[in-house]
Amino acid sequence: MRWSRSAGASEPSNFWVNVDEFFGWVEARRHRGALLLAASMLLPPLGILGGGLLVYLCLRRDPHYGLVTAAFAALILSVLSLAVGGPAAVGRALTVAGINWLPLLGLAAVQARYRSLSLSFQVAAATGFLILLVGLALVPDVRALALDVLRGVWEAMAQLGFGRMPEEAEGAIVSIFPGLFVGFMALGYLVSLFIGCWWYKSGDGEPGFGEQFRQLRLGRLLIIVVTVVIGLAIVTGWVVMTNLAWMFLIFLVLQGLSVAHYLVAERGLHKSILVMVYVLLILVGQIGMPVLAGAGFLDNWLDVRKRI
């Protein structure tokens, strides 16, 4: 479905005109989107934007168009990997591409079908919960596996001149690494989804991205699961529940951000509050994350947006 401006809408800004022209150029030839998607994998910082492009194509055209574009991009990566690193590199490239694009295609398909950012958010949370739960059940020694993965990260950081992390901090991170890993992977997918939805601009009378983001919530069923998980993690200290709680923390923080944006946009609070929220989250995460997660948690149970 193509975006069109409804009657009586204001004229688009020069920025959006240029964006529409760029995406029109991308859509004119399928290989252009595939090339951009493959290039985003070669430049890791751009991977989130590449994911946003994939979501945009799924929404602007359809999920099948996005799937074919991703397959074409994977073929391009395979050819480049074969030329540079041989057959073994092809498997690694396809694995990385699959990890980055397949879950995102699933979320984009949900968004394209139901046009509900909250539903896509809930699907991401439920999928992350199931994947992490099954993974923790199947892996006999999660701590050893996490330690092996993190050792490579720490060695790379040491080569860049970073000091070694204290042993107590290492032990704490190792024990919750699976939950953090799945949570931040889900965060990456969701940020790409948000970018793609923002680019798409949800026209033709549908709620805009900002309006949908300000209504983001986990919903009653998932918050019951979250409450039970957090309660068991606190009472028992069971590593499975602790990791699930950390994974859900990422989703609660996002809902807390949604509440903050809602209060500024709909209740007239000053925009400087949003600046303070993001400063706390980025620079003082040990304060910002619990505050936002608490706001997201309470909003699910008490509907903070309607009470304030």
Side-chain angles (χ1 to χ4, degrees):
M1 185 176 82
R2 292 185 172 277
W3 178 79
S4 63
R5 187 169 298 276
S6 57
S10 60
E11 290 299 317
S13 66
N14 289 334
F15 171 78
W16 284 116
V17 169
N18 292 333
V19 168
D20 287 344
E21 290 178 352
F22 168 74
F23 284 120
W25 175 83
V26 171
E27 290 181 76
R29 295 288 186 274
R30 192 191 295 271
H31 71 272
R32 292 172 180 171
L35 285 170
L36 289 172
L37 192 57
S40 72
M41 292 295 294
L42 300 176
L43 300 170
L46 299 180
I48 295 291
L49 294 179
L53 174 62
L54 184 59
V55 171
Y56 171 86
L57 292 174
C58 290
L59 298 178
R60 187 80 176 229
R61 293 294 187 89
D62 56 65
H64 179 264
Y65 184 95
L67 178 61
V68 173
T69 302
F72 193 5
L75 178 61
I76 295 171
L77 287 175
S78 298
V79 172
L80 292 175
S81 300
L82 182 62
V84 174
V90 175
R92 291 194 295 269
L94 291 177
T95 299
V96 173
I99 291 173
N100 279 274
W101 296 338
L102 290 178
L104 196 53
L105 283 167
L107 288 178
V110 173
Q111 184 65 26
R113 174 67 178 83
Y114 297 101
R115 304 293 175 177
S116 170
L117 203 61
S118 275
L119 180 60
S120 300
F121 181 66
Q122 292 162 13
V123 168
T127 303
F129 169 74
L130 293 174
I131 289 174
L132 183 57
L133 187 62
V134 172
L136 291 171
L138 294 180
V139 177
D141 192 346
V142 175
R143 185 180 179 85
L145 178 61
L147 188 58
D148 288 340
V149 174
L150 287 172
R151 277 174 180 166
V153 176
W154 291 329
E155 290 175 2
M157 292 179 64
Q159 292 176 358
L160 294 174
F162 292 95
R164 183 172 177 80
M165 187 177 296
E167 291 186 4
E168 291 184 2
E170 286 185 5
I173 292 177
V174 167
S175 63
I176 61 175
F177 176 75
L180 290 176
F181 177 79
V182 173
F184 279 104
M185 286 293 290
L187 176 63
Y189 298 136
L190 287 170
V191 171
S192 289
L193 178 70
F194 295 160
I195 291 173
C197 291
W198 179 56
W199 282 339
Y200 177 66
K201 293 176 65 178
S202 297
D204 291 329
E206 298 174 16
F209 168 74
E211 183 179 342
Q212 287 207 31
F213 181 78
R214 292 191 292 271
Q215 296 297 329
L216 209 65
R217 64 179 69 246
L218 283 173
R220 185 52 56 91
L221 178 60
L222 275 172
I223 199 59
I224 291 174
V225 175
V226 171
T227 304
V228 171
V229 164
I230 293 175
L232 289 175
I234 294 173
V235 173
T236 67
W238 187 19
V239 66
V240 172
M241 293 297 112
T242 302
N243 276 278
L244 289 171
W246 278 99
M247 189 273 295
F248 278 129
L249 176 72
I250 304 299
F251 290 90
L252 291 173
V253 167
L254 283 174
Q255 184 166 340
L257 281 175
S258 171
V259 172
H261 278 269
Y262 176 87
L263 295 178
V264 170
E266 306 294 337
R267 293 291 185 261
L269 299 185
H270 200 277
K271 291 183 178 180
S272 61
I273 293 177
L274 275 182
V275 176
M276 294 174 57
V277 166
Y278 279 99
V279 168
L280 278 176
L281 183 61
I282 295 171
L283 299 182
V284 197
Q286 63 270 31
I287 297 176
M289 287 186 70
V291 169
L292 287 172
F297 183 85
L298 290 176
D299 183 54
N300 277 288
W301 284 112
L302 304 177
D303 200 353
V304 172
R305 288 171 245 224
K306 289 185 178 179
R307 294 176 180 271
I308 294 181

